Amino acid sequence: MKKIHSTLSIILCLLFLSGCAELFQGKVDMAGISNGTLSGMLSSVNEISELTTPTQLFVSQGRSSTTIDITWSKVDGAVSYRLERAVVSPALDGSYSEPDESLFEVLEQSVYDTSYQDTLISEGSIDETPYEKRYYYRVSAENFRKKYASSPFTPPEYGTLFPKPQNVKADLGESTDQIKVRWQKVANAVSYDIYRTDSASGTGAVKIDTVSADRDEYTNKISPEEQGVEFYYSVYARNRYGALSAQSSLALGYALVAGAPTEPKNVKVTDGRGTSTSGILIEWDAVQAASEVTYHIYRTSSVDASFTLLANQSGTSFTDTKNLKPGLFYYYQIQASIKDEAGVTLKSKFSDSGSESTKPAEGFILSPPSQIAAEKIKNSGDKVLWTAAIGSSEEQQNYKYNIYGDMDINGTYSELVMSVPATPPDESGYISAIVSKNFSYYKIKTCRIDNALESSFSTVTSPSPFAAERAVATQHAKLESEYMVANSSGVYPVKIMWQKPTDDEPSGYHVYRSTTKNSGYRKITEEPITNLYFIDTDDTTKAGKRYYYKVLSVNALGQGTMYSDVTIGYGALTHEQYMREYNKTLKASHKRLSLMHKSNDMDKLGSETVYGAITGSCHYNASIAGLGADITMKYTNYAEFYIDNNPENGIYFTVSGNTDTSANMSANGSMSGTMVCTGMYPGKVYYDAIQIKGGSAGGGTYGIEPEGFARGEVSWTIGEE
C-alpha cells in the first residue's frame, strides 16, 4: 500500500503541474464556460479588454455665437477621450447630409474631462459662413497608460452656433420724425438689443432699447435736432441661456429734413449684368432743385447689407470698379443733396432701387461657377460638375462654360478641354459634362456666346481617385525584421497592403481602422501616404482581437470618396504571449474534468472524457506505471472559445495532440507530447523540454512554434500564470 500511496502522491503533484491546483478546491461551477466565451471564466485575467462607448453625448445647438459645448458620460477605466469633428455645409437645397467618416478630423487627441468647449470663431467676426454649418462630433474613450483598446466612437451628434440677426435695414429718409429698423428673426432668440451710433465705423454705439423675440422691427423716434443725421444701427439677439449673438452688420438710417430734394428716380444698371469682368455702369434721372445737386452713390451686396459709399459727384452716371468680386450681386442706391442758404447740407431719401425694391438696380460681373466638383467614371473619363453662373435664366442662355485642365495644381490651365452650352441644372442643382481626356485638375470659366468674353477662373477641383484595389491586412504574420517589435501586450504590428487603382494615380492614401466592420472607423495615418502599404504599430492592440481596415484614395487636395474593400488583420504574438493565449483553452479543459476533483486519492485514478464548449474532446487517463505514474491528456479538435466571443468570427484555438506526464518514485520526471493548434493563431506547442522535480514543475521550457515562425523556448513559469 505504501507504494500505491506514493504513486498517488506523484499523480497529485503531476496534476498540480498541469496548472490545475484550483481543481482540488471542490466542485467547479461549469456555467461560466458553457457558452464558448473568454469573458466570464477568464474575466479576472483579462480585466478590461475594451473600454465601453461613452453615452449621453450632448452637443449644444444655438447656445453661443462663438462656441459649441460638448459633454458625455464618464467611462470606467478611461483616462482620456478622443474628440473628433466633421463640418457639413448645407447643400444647394438647404439640406444637410450625414458626414462620411473621411470628414472627421481629430479636434483634441486627449481630453481629460467629460466636456469640451469648441471655439469656432473669434469675437466680432463678420464671416456669416460658420452660422450656416453643422458641426458633428464623436467621442471615444481611451486609456493608453494601461494599453486598453479604445472604445468605439459614439454615434455623431451635431451642434450649431447662435447666429446674429441678418438683413438689418433702416429707413433712408422715409419720415421726418422716425426711423424704422428691421431684421430677420433669429431662431431661439428671446429678445433683441438695438444699438445706434453716428459713426460709420460703428464705434461709440449705445444701446437704445430692447424688444421681445416676437418683434422683427423697431421704431426710433427722431427729434428735430436729429433730422438729417446719418445713424448706424446694429442689432444683437439674446437667447434663453443669456448669451448674446455677435453684432449684426451696420444699417444706415436717417430721417428726412424739411426742404431736402426729392430722391433720384429711374436708377438702373445699364451695362453690368455679366457684360464685363471689371465694371458695372449705373445711370439715373437728374433731380430738379434750386441749387446744385450732388449725388451720393451707395452700394450693398448679396452677402453684405451694409452700405459702401462709392462716390460723391454731380453727374448722373457712374461706373463701379471698386473691389468687385465674382459671384456676388450688387445693388445701387443714389441719394441727392443740396445746400441751403446757410450752407447746411440737405439730403434726400435714398432711391427706391435697393435689394428689396420691385425694380432693383442690380448688377454683377461675369462670374465663374461658384461650386465645382469632379468624379471619375470607369472607362469613360472624368465627370465635371458645376453650378450655373449667376444671372437670370435669360442671361444664362447667353453663356457657355469652358473647361480647362492641367496636370499641375499650380499650372496655367491653358488647355481648353471642352466647351459646354448652358443647360438647366439637374435635380441636384448641378450642370455636368463627361470629359474624355483625363487631367489631374480642372477649372472652369464662364464665356459669353455673343462676344467670347470669359470670366475669371473658378476654384480648382480634382476628381476623387478610384478606390485602392486588392487591399489585404496580415494575420498572425511575421513581417520584415525592422517591423517585428511587439507592443506591451505581446502583439506584433499589422501590415496593410494594397495596389493602386487600375488606370488611376492617386496622390496618396489614408488608412482607417475599426473594431467593427461597418462603422466606427478612425483615420490612423496623420498625412496621406504614398507607399502602397502601412504598418499599424498601435500599442493598444490586444491578442484575440481582429481589426477591420480600409484604404481611402485621395487627390492632391486631400479629397477622396472611394474606399477599398474592408480587410481583416491582426498581429502575430510573441512566443510568450502565444503560450498565454493557448493555455486559456487548456485551463478551461482542466476545469471540465471530474476525476481530478475527487476527495479520495484512489478515486483520482482512471479515465474520463470531457467535451469542449464548441467542439472536440479531451481524454484523461491516470494510472500507476511500474514504480512511477503516468498521466495522459489526449485532445481531439478541442475548442472552448470563439474569437472576440462572437461565433461569426470563428474559433479562437482548436487543439489536437497529447500532453503526457511521467515520474519516478522520487517524483522526478518529464513531460512529452505535441499540441497542434488551428484557429486564429495556428501553430504548435511542444512539451518535450519541461522538467519535473520533486513532483512539481522545476524547470525547462515550452517549445512554441507559431505558424511562419521558428520554434522558440518559453519558460515553464509562463504556463503557471
Side-chain angles (χ1 to χ4, degrees):
M1 289 297 294
K2 182 177 180 180
K3 175 182 176 182
I4 295 175
H5 285 296
S6 296
T7 305
L8 288 174
S9 297
I10 295 171
I11 293 174
L12 293 176
C13 291
L14 296 179
L15 292 174
F16 187 89
L17 172 64
S18 300
C20 304
E22 71 275 14
L23 302 181
F24 301 98
Q25 298 174 4
K27 185 176 180 182
V28 176
D29 182 5
M30 304 304 291
I33 57 172
S34 62
N35 60 358
T37 66
L38 284 167
S39 60
M41 187 197 82
L42 298 174
S43 59
S44 61
V45 176
N46 289 340
E47 197 178 7
I48 296 176
S49 61
E50 182 178 281
L51 296 167
T52 59
T53 303
T55 59
Q56 300 177 18
L57 176 64
F58 169 80
V59 182
S60 64
Q61 295 186 358
R63 173 174 285 184
S64 166
S65 62
T66 59
T67 62
I68 291 179
D69 294 322
I70 309 102
T71 61
W72 56 90
S73 61
K74 188 179 187 303
V75 173
D76 289 341
V79 170
S80 62
Y81 301 88
R82 176 186 175 110
L83 178 62
E84 295 190 348
R85 182 184 69 193
V87 182
V88 177
S89 298
L92 294 177
D93 61 1
S95 64
Y96 294 85
S97 58
E98 291 286 327
D100 180 79
E101 286 175 317
S102 64
L103 295 178
F104 280 95
E105 299 290 343
V106 176
L107 179 60
E108 192 68 40
Q109 180 65 57
S110 298
V111 180
Y112 294 98
D113 200 353
T114 56
S115 63
Y116 185 86
Q117 188 173 79
D118 184 15
T119 300
L120 293 162
I121 58 175
S122 59
E123 294 284 352
S125 172
I126 62 172
D127 185 7
E128 307 294 340
T129 305
Y131 299 107
E132 301 172 353
K133 296 176 180 177
R134 288 182 176 179
Y135 302 86
Y136 286 81
Y137 300 86
R138 63 181 190 175
V139 183
S140 171
E142 297 181 327
N143 186 336
F144 293 114
R145 297 175 189 172
K146 293 190 176 181
K147 314 302 182 185
Y148 292 159
S150 300
S151 79
F153 280 108
T154 60
E157 296 287 345
Y158 75 86
T160 55
L161 292 172
F162 183 49
K164 56 188 177 183
Q166 299 293 313
N167 202 29
V168 179
K169 296 181 181 298
D171 284 348
L172 299 166
E174 299 293 333
S175 169
T176 59
D177 60 359
Q178 65 179 28
I179 301 173
K180 282 189 175 181
V181 184
R182 301 171 298 281
W183 60 88
Q184 291 180 351
K185 290 183 177 180
V186 175
N188 300 321
V190 296
S191 64
Y192 300 97
D193 293 344
I194 296 90
Y195 283 73
R196 189 185 78 173
T197 180
D198 59 4
S199 171
S201 66
T203 58
V206 176
K207 186 169 75 170
I208 58 176
D209 213 339
T210 297
V211 298
S212 60
D214 60 340
R215 300 272 298 277
D216 59 1
E217 68 175 26
Y218 172 76
T219 300
N220 182 205
K221 296 297 184 181
I222 298 299
S223 67
E225 294 78 15
E226 295 176 326
Q227 290 178 351
V229 178
E230 293 182 343
F231 292 108
Y232 297 87
Y233 295 88
S234 57
V235 182
Y236 295 80
R238 189 180 297 274
N239 61 24
R240 63 187 179 91
Y241 304 103
L244 204 63
S245 74
Q247 177 189 310
S248 72
S249 58
L250 295 175
L252 171 63
Y254 65 94
L256 200 63
V257 180
T262 60
E263 75 271 19
K265 304 286 187 181
N266 198 28
V267 180
K268 58 183 180 294
V269 171
T270 55
D271 187 9
R273 292 189 60 84
T275 55
S276 169
T277 60
S278 59
I280 298 173
L281 175 62
I282 310 102
E283 296 180 340
W284 58 92
D285 295 343
V287 172
Q288 302 301 315
S291 60
E292 183 180 0
V293 178
T294 299
Y295 298 101
H296 312 280
I297 300 100
Y298 286 89
R299 183 185 76 190
T300 61
S301 75
S302 53
V303 296
D304 187 0
S306 298
F307 283 94
T308 298
L309 177 62
L310 299 174
N312 302 309
Q313 64 177 46
S314 58
T316 57
S317 67
F318 176 77
T319 299
D320 179 17
T321 59
K322 185 176 181 179
N323 299 325
L324 294 173
K325 297 179 180 180
L328 299 182
F329 288 102
Y330 292 98
Y331 302 93
Y332 298 89
Q333 290 178 264
I334 313 298
Q335 182 189 50
S337 70
I338 60 173
K339 292 185 181 296
D340 64 9
E341 295 178 353
V344 176
T345 300
L346 304 178
K347 296 181 178 180
S348 75
K349 65 181 293 186
F350 273 44
S351 62
D352 181 20
S353 55
S355 61
E356 296 180 346
S357 172
T358 56
K359 293 183 178 180
E362 179 187 75
F364 57 91
I365 60 174
L366 186 64
S367 304
S370 60
Q371 297 186 40
I372 175 175
E375 59 187 44
K376 288 187 176 292
I377 307 297
K378 201 74 171 178
N379 301 321
S380 299
D382 297 332
K383 183 178 182 180
V384 183
L385 306 93
W386 64 93
T387 53
I390 61 173
S392 67
S393 57
E394 292 78 12
E395 290 164 337
Q396 290 173 355
Q397 291 177 5
N398 192 41
Y399 295 164
K400 65 178 180 178
Y401 298 97
N402 292 339
I403 303 174
Y404 292 85
D406 208 300
M407 300 306 293
D408 182 354
I409 189 172
N410 297 313
T412 61
Y413 295 87
S414 58
E415 185 164 353
L416 177 64
V417 180
M418 65 185 304
S419 293
V420 181
T423 57
D426 60 18
E427 293 180 354
S428 67
Y430 286 90
I431 304 169
S432 63
I434 303 296
V435 177
S436 58
K437 185 175 181 180
N438 297 86
F439 286 86
S440 297
Y441 308 96
Y442 297 96
K443 291 183 178 181
I444 295 179
K445 288 184 175 182
T446 303
C447 180
R448 292 186 62 91
I449 297 174
D450 55 356
N451 59 10
L453 177 68
E454 282 189 316
S455 71
S456 58
F457 276 119
S458 68
T459 57
V460 64
T461 188
S462 180
S464 295
F466 289 131
E469 298 176 359
R470 293 181 282 281
V472 62
T474 57
Q475 299 178 354
H476 63 80
K478 185 175 183 180
L479 307 182
E480 294 86 343
S481 58
E482 63 266 32
Y483 304 132
M484 290 304 290
V485 178
N487 66 15
S488 58
S489 298
V491 181
Y492 288 113
V494 177
K495 186 175 184 179
I496 305 96
M497 298 163 286
W498 59 91
Q499 295 184 17
K500 73 177 187 66
T502 304
D503 300 324
D504 202 356
E505 293 287 344
S507 294
Y509 305 89
H510 275 302
V511 180
Y512 290 77
R513 182 187 66 216
S514 178
T515 56
T516 57
K517 182 177 182 179
N518 298 318
S519 63
Y521 284 89
R522 66 181 68 199
K523 186 164 58 181
I524 58 176
T525 45
E526 293 184 3
E527 299 293 337
I529 60 176
T530 56
N531 293 329
L532 297 178
Y533 67 89
F534 178 74
I535 307 298
D536 182 12
T537 58
D538 186 16
D539 199 39
T540 66
T541 56
K542 297 290 190 297
K545 192 74 177 178
R546 305 195 312 173
Y547 296 89
Y548 297 87
Y549 296 91
K550 59 182 180 181
V551 180
L552 177 68
S553 304
V554 297
N555 57 30
L557 303 176
Q559 302 166 336
T561 59
M562 300 186 189
Y563 292 95
S564 70
D565 291 336
V566 174
T567 183
I568 298 172
Y570 51 92
L573 305 180
T574 62
H575 290 74
E576 290 80 4
Q577 192 62 36
Y578 191 100
M579 179 61 195
R580 294 184 183 101
E581 299 305 313
Y582 152 81
N583 209 30
K584 293 173 183 177
T585 296
L586 270 288
K587 288 183 177 181
S589 71
H590 296 163
K591 289 196 174 187
R592 294 189 180 277
L593 294 165
S594 60
L595 290 179
M596 288 182 174
H597 304 288
K598 300 295 184 180
S599 59
N600 186 284
D601 288 350
M602 292 296 296
D603 292 338
K604 298 180 186 295
L605 295 173
S607 300
E608 66 173 315
T609 299
V610 295
Y611 301 93
I614 300 173
T615 186
S617 62
C618 169
H619 180 73
Y620 161 89
N621 183 71
S623 61
I624 297 171
L627 298 179
D630 288 333
I631 298 175
T632 300
M633 304 274 281
K634 180 179 177 59
Y635 291 86
T636 304
N637 295 323
Y638 187 92
E640 284 282 354
F641 308 117
Y642 292 113
I643 300 171
D644 204 21
N645 301 333
N646 187 346
E648 295 181 0
N649 293 340
I651 296 174
Y652 192 38
F653 271 88
T654 300
V655 297
S656 295
N658 281 29
T659 63
D660 299 337
T661 309
S662 61
N664 58 27
M665 286 295 295
S666 300
N668 297 323
S670 62
M671 295 188 71
S672 62
T674 301
M675 296 287 280
V676 177
C677 307
T678 58
M680 188 171 183
Y681 299 104
K684 295 179 179 179
V685 178
Y686 299 94
Y687 287 79
D688 54 11
I690 291 292
Q691 302 170 9
I692 299 172
K693 296 179 181 179
S696 61
T701 58
Y702 293 98
I704 305 297
E705 188 181 335
E707 184 178 84
F709 290 74
R711 172 172 169 165
E713 301 304 311
V714 172
S715 171
W716 63 273
T717 58
I718 299 295
E720 304 303 307
E721 292 181 355

